[in-house]
């Protein structure tokens, strides 16, 4: 899902609620209650109001809880929720379920749900060999990617600017060369000039020729 960084809080909230229509997010991550309206941002999961309260009691260092429509969300948080979601989170957090422990149902006793959530998130009892990603670790990777893309764009702009400047410089030099050639041809006649045209004969006879020409017109 493409998320506009300039989205309004209302638009982000609407996107989050639309995510709960997906099959994996349509039920609470921890007790299968329908239509969850809360989320645990750290893990990228959607939960019901009861489980959100249990998560909140674990402390924000383990579970940071937010309402989908009452709290303010940032674009990166919404992007992370879309990236993770309940199904993917289960691949990490429920990779190796503890023997004798089943996922609670909506009507399961509260104390049982509390113990299951504590075991899953605080003690990581059902985790496999892969460490589950968190919002913090994901955001760190994304920031590095963005920084890399920004540096690459800046580098391409510099290269393009250098090519344009080099092209303009080469064009100016060519113009100057052409102008120099034209000026040279204009200021360097192939033969001496005189009042009566080109002087192609012996300079000592110029005076005689001048007198002859004047006699013709007198």
């Amino acid at each position: 899902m493409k998320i506009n960084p300039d989205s309004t809080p209302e638009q982000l909230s609407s996107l989050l609620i639309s995510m709960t229509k997906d099959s994996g997010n349509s039920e609470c991550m921890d007790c299968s209650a329908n239509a969850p309206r809360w989320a645990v941002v750290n893990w990228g999961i959607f939960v019901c109001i009861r489980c959100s309260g249990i998560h909140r009691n674990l402390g924000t260092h383990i579970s940071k809880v937010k309402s989908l429509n009452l709290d303010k969300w940032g674009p990166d948080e919404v992007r992370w929720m879309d990236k993770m979601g309940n199904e993917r989170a289960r691949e990490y957090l429920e990779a190796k379920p503890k023997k004798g422990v089943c996922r609670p149902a909506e009507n399961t006793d509260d104390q049982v749900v509390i113990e299951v959530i504590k075991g899953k998130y605080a003690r990581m009892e059902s985790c496999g060999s892969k460490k589950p990603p968190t919002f913090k670790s994901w955001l760190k990777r994304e920031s590095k990617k963005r920084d890399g893309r920004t540096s690459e764009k800046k580098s391409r702009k510099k290269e393009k600017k250098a090519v344009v400047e080099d092209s303009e410089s080469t064009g100016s030099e060519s113009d100057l060369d052409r102008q120099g050639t034209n000026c040279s041809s204009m200021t360097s006649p192939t033969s001496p000039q005189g009042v009566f045209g080109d002087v192609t004969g012996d300079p000592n006879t110029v005076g005689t020729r001048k007198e002859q020409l004047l006699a013709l017109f007198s």
Side-chain angles (χ1 to χ4, degrees):
M1 179 185 293
K2 191 172 182 179
I3 298 168
N4 190 335
D6 298 322
S7 297
T8 64
E10 292 76 16
Q11 289 172 329
L12 293 175
S13 177
S14 179
L15 287 171
L16 286 164
I17 291 174
S18 70
M19 291 178 200
T20 63
K21 296 177 182 178
D22 297 340
S23 58
N25 301 328
S26 61
E27 295 181 347
C28 173
M29 169 76 176
D30 297 314
C31 76
S32 301
N34 289 323
R37 286 295 179 267
W38 294 79
V40 182
V41 183
N42 310 48
W43 308 111
I45 59 175
F46 296 87
V47 296
C48 66
I49 189 168
R50 176 179 67 162
C51 292
S52 73
I54 299 171
H55 274 279
R56 198 184 297 275
N57 288 334
L58 296 178
T60 55
H61 63 292
I62 296 175
S63 294
K64 182 180 179 181
V65 179
K66 276 191 171 187
S67 167
L68 301 186
N69 57 345
L70 299 177
D71 290 317
K72 187 176 180 179
W73 289 77
D76 282 330
E77 290 177 318
V78 177
R79 196 175 292 111
W80 159 247
M81 294 299 298
D82 181 55
K83 180 77 174 177
M84 199 64 173
N86 292 356
E87 283 189 348
R88 190 168 179 220
R90 287 193 179 101
E91 294 176 6
Y92 295 94
L93 296 164
E94 297 178 2
K96 290 184 178 180
K98 187 178 179 181
K99 190 175 181 180
V101 177
C102 298
R103 187 185 303 161
E106 187 174 1
N107 58 357
T108 301
D109 182 75
D110 289 353
Q111 195 57 43
V112 174
V113 179
I114 290 171
E115 287 305 311
V116 170
I117 289 177
K118 281 184 177 180
K120 189 190 297 185
Y121 301 96
R123 298 190 293 269
M124 295 288 177
E125 293 175 347
S126 301
C127 256
S129 57
K130 290 183 178 180
K131 184 179 179 180
T134 61
F135 173 62
K136 187 176 180 179
S137 63
W138 173 82
L139 185 59
K140 188 176 181 179
R141 289 195 300 271
E142 286 298 300
S143 296
K144 285 183 179 179
K145 288 180 184 177
R146 281 197 288 259
D147 290 343
R149 288 195 292 267
T150 301
S151 298
E152 188 178 346
K153 285 181 180 179
K154 286 182 178 178
S155 178
R156 285 202 297 266
K157 283 184 179 179
K158 285 183 179 179
E159 290 177 0
K160 185 177 180 181
K161 185 178 180 181
V163 170
V164 171
E165 289 177 347
D166 183 60
S167 176
E168 290 176 347
S169 175
T170 302
S172 298
E173 290 175 0
S174 298
D175 290 342
L176 288 173
D177 290 342
R178 285 195 294 272
Q179 290 174 9
T181 301
N182 292 337
C183 290
S184 177
S185 62
M186 290 173 64
T187 58
S188 302
T190 56
S191 58
Q193 297 290 314
V195 177
F196 298 98
D198 293 343
V199 180
T200 57
D202 186 348
N204 296 323
T205 64
V206 170
T208 304
R209 292 184 60 197
K210 179 179 179 182
E211 290 176 357
Q212 293 175 346
L213 287 169
L214 290 172
L216 293 174
F217 296 97
S218 59

